[in-house]
């Protein structure tokens, strides 16, 4: 594995400063079955590499200074909360999640593992049989409105869609499977932070004989008969029989390959609907902060306006919704005693002009609302501060347009309509990651690697049998 940066993990890296340890990117551990299945594939369990704790409540949602909800992991308790907000919604929640479970079982255990090389793959009888129940052609927002009228409940059900990178009106109702992952399978935390998962992958890879070379950036390739024979890096060239690129797909195509070697043109990439980027702040606080859970969502402003400023009229948000992760509520190792570790994330449009003054302006704006909601002063207690946005994503990961989450999971960018896992021009070049199948997020990224590995193994087996 040739790794550009000095640490494994890509977006799931970690750093430590002044006694604080920050996960740099992903902070939600959902779909525990995907992680377990991955380790089972090699004869291990998750618990062989890191310890999980289920969070209860899973997260807190602030709708205003006086109005908040804690989301319990007990479904019966949650249905009672729904019922108090809107009569009849407790029963509807159970029906909604029953349908979501069907989609999850079919979507995440079969549909997500399809290589996406041909529409014929979708003719699998189980997928064809269940197509109507998958709600592929109905929008997510319309689907949610069939069940729930109260704006709080609709926002709560639409929240996981933020991870898919498009407005609820543009995402197929298939993705109610995310609500099943959220409300039934639960929100978990790996002790030591999300980077513990990466350390687990690294340890497993070591057991299997995989070698890693850090600070090694790929600069190009040497070819023979339309196949890569050497990977050229800043630390020399490496011979290869095949190459799997988990770097940014657009970067590999547009910067490492010649025009006649590319599967997609620049025009193709410009037409892609991108998921949001993110403006992130890592804050070390020199006191304990009340009013917070491990995960906290601040929905105290208009969701529709923020969504428009991401997708329809891209600009820095006027009054952004935001998310605060406080892992020190669960894990005492990530902050000094009587301190808090805060991770603030604001979803923003990709390809924005990223300047320090803009970052600081939005931080002040968000902190003002944050303090108002929780009823505490934060700004006077910031011991450590670091920000991360578009220019960092581009510098560290060559991220197309400074994106954080990859391609949006719209219907026109699903399965075989996403960039292919196999190069159309280079015989032995394959792709994995958030710009190909199945999509953005840690569980889909894990599945993406398995999809490519399975496909490559089949190709090798065919070649051996043929010879």
């Amino acid at each position: 594995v040739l790794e550009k940066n000095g640490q494994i993990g890509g977006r799931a890296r970690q750093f430590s400063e002044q006694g604080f340890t920050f996960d740099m990117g992903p902070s939600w551990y959902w779909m525990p079955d995907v992680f377990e299945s991955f380790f089972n594939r090699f004869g291990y369990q998750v618990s062989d590499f890191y310890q999980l704790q289920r969070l209860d409540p899973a997260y807190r949602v602030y709708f205003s200074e006086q109005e908040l909800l804690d989301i319990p992991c007990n479904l019966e308790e949650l249905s009672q909360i729904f019922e108090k907000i809107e009569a009849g919604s407790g029963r509807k929640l159970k029906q909604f999640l029953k349908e979501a479970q069907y989609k999850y079982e079919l979507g995440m255990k079969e549909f997500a593992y399809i290589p996406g090389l041909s529409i014929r793959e979708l003719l699998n009888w189980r997928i064809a049989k269940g197509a109507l129940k998958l709600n592929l052609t109905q929008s997510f927002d319309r689907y949610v409105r069939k069940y729930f009228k109260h704006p709080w409940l609709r926002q709560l059900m639409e929240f996981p869609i933020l991870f898919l990178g498009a407005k609820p009106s543009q995402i197929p109702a298939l993705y109610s499977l995310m609500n099943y992952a959220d409300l039934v399978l639960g929100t978990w935390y790996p002790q030591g932070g999300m980077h513990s998962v990466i350390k687990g992958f690294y340890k497993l890879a070591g057991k299997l004989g995989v070698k890693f070379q850090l600070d090694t950036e790929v600069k190009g390739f040497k070819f023979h008969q339309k196949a890569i024979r050497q990977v050229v890096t800043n630390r020399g060239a490496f011979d290869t029989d095949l190459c799997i690129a988990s770097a940014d797909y657009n970067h590999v195509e547009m910067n490492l390959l010649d025009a006649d070697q590319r599967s997609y043109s620049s025009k193709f990439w410009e037409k892609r609907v991108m998921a949001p980027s993110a403006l992130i702040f890592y804050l070390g606080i020199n006191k304990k902060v009340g009013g917070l859970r491990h995960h906290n969502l601040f929905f105290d402003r208009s969701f529709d306006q923020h969504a428009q400023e991401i997708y329809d009229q891209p600009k820095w948000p006027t009054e952004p919704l935001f998310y605060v992760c406080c892992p020190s509520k669960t894990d005492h190792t990530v902050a000094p005693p009587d301190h808090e570790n805060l991770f603030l994330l604001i979803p923003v449009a990709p390809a924005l002009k990223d300047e320090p003054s803009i970052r600081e302006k939005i931080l002040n704006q968000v902190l003002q609302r944050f303090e108002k909601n929780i009823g505490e002063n934060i700004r006077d207690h910031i011991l450590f501060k670091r920000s991360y946005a578009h220019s960092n994503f581009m510098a560290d990961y060559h991220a197309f347009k400074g994106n954080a989450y990859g391609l949006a999971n719209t219907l026109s960018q699903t399965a075989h309509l996403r960039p292919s896992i196999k190069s159309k021009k280079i015989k032995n070049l394959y792709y994995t990651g958030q710009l190909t199948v199945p999509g953005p997020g840690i569980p889909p990224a894990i599945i993406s690697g398995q999809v490519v590995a399975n496909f490559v193994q089949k190709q090798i087996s065919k070649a051996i049998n043929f010879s």
Side-chain angles (χ1 to χ4, degrees):
V1 176
L2 304 177
E3 167 60 52
K4 170 185 177 291
N5 295 307
Q7 186 186 34
I8 57 170
R11 283 164 167 76
R13 290 182 298 157
Q14 196 175 65
F15 75 93
S16 296
E17 287 285 348
Q18 299 181 35
F20 300 95
T21 298
F22 297 94
D23 282 318
M24 292 186 68
S27 59
W28 292 81
Y29 192 107
W30 276 358
M31 305 182 186
D33 53 312
V34 174
F35 296 82
E36 196 66 59
S37 174
F38 174 81
F39 285 107
N40 291 168
R41 176 178 176 140
F42 303 99
Y44 294 95
Q45 297 177 321
V46 160
S47 58
D48 294 325
F49 298 95
Y50 54 90
Q51 300 305 309
L52 285 175
Q53 176 181 343
R54 186 165 185 176
L55 302 181
D56 189 15
Y59 49 93
R60 171 169 285 182
V61 185
Y62 276 93
F63 294 102
S64 72
E65 297 165 49
Q66 307 298 327
E67 299 169 314
L68 61 87
L69 282 181
D70 281 337
I71 308 303
C73 64
N74 183 287
L75 187 55
E76 197 57 47
E77 286 181 38
L78 182 62
S79 65
Q80 291 172 15
I81 291 172
F82 269 55
E83 193 65 32
K84 288 178 182 177
I85 296 172
E86 180 182 303
S89 65
R91 174 183 52 80
K92 290 180 180 178
L93 173 66
K94 292 177 180 178
Q95 179 59 36
F96 184 96
L97 292 175
K98 184 178 179 181
E99 294 185 16
Q101 179 178 5
Y102 177 85
K103 294 172 188 173
Y104 186 89
E105 295 291 334
L106 189 58
M108 292 306 297
K109 295 186 178 177
E110 292 194 38
F111 192 74
Y113 286 86
I114 291 174
L117 294 171
S118 168
I119 194 170
R120 290 193 296 272
E121 296 166 346
L122 302 179
L123 301 181
N124 170 292
W125 74 270
R126 265 179 57 80
I127 293 175
K129 184 180 177 183
L132 290 176
K133 291 184 179 180
L134 292 178
N135 301 113
L136 285 168
T137 57
Q138 187 175 12
S139 70
F140 189 84
D141 65 337
R142 287 184 61 190
Y143 182 71
V144 168
R145 279 163 172 72
K146 281 172 47 181
Y147 287 86
F148 310 107
K149 306 301 180 189
H150 197 283
W152 286 12
L153 301 185
R154 293 205 308 263
Q155 274 193 300
L156 187 61
M157 303 309 282
E158 291 176 355
F159 139 67
I161 299 307
L162 292 174
F163 291 94
L164 301 177
K167 292 193 297 185
S169 61
Q170 296 173 323
I171 290 283
L174 160 70
Y175 288 107
S176 65
L177 63 86
M178 295 286 287
N179 299 111
Y180 178 76
D182 170 12
L183 302 174
V184 179
L185 297 182
T187 301
W188 300 75
Y189 177 74
Q191 285 299 315
M194 291 297 289
H195 194 65
S196 295
V197 179
I198 303 303
K199 291 176 181 177
F201 291 164
Y202 181 76
K203 187 176 180 181
L204 172 60
K207 289 176 180 287
L208 299 170
V210 179
K211 295 180 180 178
F212 289 76
Q213 182 143 331
L214 305 182
D215 292 312
T216 305
E217 181 173 0
V218 175
K219 297 292 188 179
F221 309 103
K222 290 185 178 179
F223 300 87
H224 179 66
Q225 295 182 342
K226 295 185 179 180
I228 296 173
R229 292 303 171 215
Q230 282 192 326
V231 181
V232 180
T233 77
N234 61 328
R235 294 197 167 193
F238 295 81
D239 295 337
T240 186
D241 294 310
L242 62 89
C243 181
I244 298 175
S246 62
D248 184 275
Y249 202 131
N250 170 271
H251 166 69
V252 176
E253 283 255 305
M254 304 308 294
N255 297 321
L256 303 184
L257 298 177
D258 293 335
D260 61 348
Q261 298 170 324
R262 298 168 188 161
S263 299
Y264 304 99
S265 66
S266 58
K267 186 180 292 186
F268 168 88
W269 286 108
E270 287 303 322
K271 288 182 178 180
R272 294 313 91 194
V273 179
M274 302 304 297
S277 187
L279 172 54
I280 302 168
F281 295 96
Y282 312 99
L283 303 179
I285 308 298
N286 67 0
K287 69 168 187 172
K288 300 304 287 185
V289 180
L292 288 180
R293 299 296 188 181
H294 187 117
H295 297 296
N296 308 270
L297 303 169
F298 289 81
F299 289 167
D300 57 330
R301 292 295 187 271
S302 168
F303 178 91
D304 290 338
Q305 179 179 323
H306 190 176
Q308 283 181 358
E309 291 171 345
I310 293 175
Y311 303 108
D312 301 332
Q313 299 166 329
K315 64 178 183 178
W316 288 99
T318 309
E319 292 189 298
L321 307 184
F322 60 97
Y323 156 65
V324 178
C325 182
C326 185
S328 47
K329 294 294 182 189
T330 305
D331 187 348
H332 72 274
T333 69
V334 300
D338 298 320
H339 289 57
E340 298 281 30
N341 173 320
L342 298 185
F343 171 101
L344 274 69
L345 183 146
I346 301 102
V348 293
L352 296 179
K353 190 176 182 182
D354 174 20
E355 296 178 346
S357 60
I358 294 174
R359 296 188 189 193
E360 200 63 25
K361 177 185 175 183
I362 291 183
L363 175 62
N364 287 329
Q365 181 184 4
V366 165
L367 284 179
Q368 185 176 12
R369 282 169 42 208
F370 180 35
E371 290 175 331
K372 203 171 181 182
N373 276 286
I374 67 171
E376 278 193 51
N377 177 284
I378 296 293
R379 279 174 284 193
D380 294 338
H381 295 273
I382 297 174
L383 192 64
F384 171 80
K385 179 177 72 174
R386 178 176 167 185
S387 64
Y388 200 96
H390 304 73
S391 57
N392 303 104
F393 281 107
M394 289 187 279
D396 289 349
Y397 314 121
H398 296 299
F400 180 50
K401 296 185 177 181
N403 81 84
Y405 297 106
L407 287 182
N409 263 7
T410 59
L411 187 58
S412 63
Q413 294 182 162
T414 297
H416 67 287
L417 299 176
R418 294 180 77 83
S420 175
I421 63 169
K422 188 178 188 309
S423 170
K424 299 175 183 179
K425 303 289 183 70
I426 310 299
K427 293 178 183 177
N428 60 346
L429 175 58
Y430 305 86
Y431 293 91
T432 185
Q434 60 186 17
L435 292 179
T436 183
V437 293
I442 290 185
I446 294 170
I447 292 172
S448 181
Q450 292 178 317
V451 168
V452 174
N454 291 339
F455 182 77
V456 169
Q457 286 175 327
K458 287 178 182 177
Q459 295 290 101
I460 292 172
S461 296
K462 283 181 182 179
I464 291 173
N465 291 334
F466 179 77
S467 62

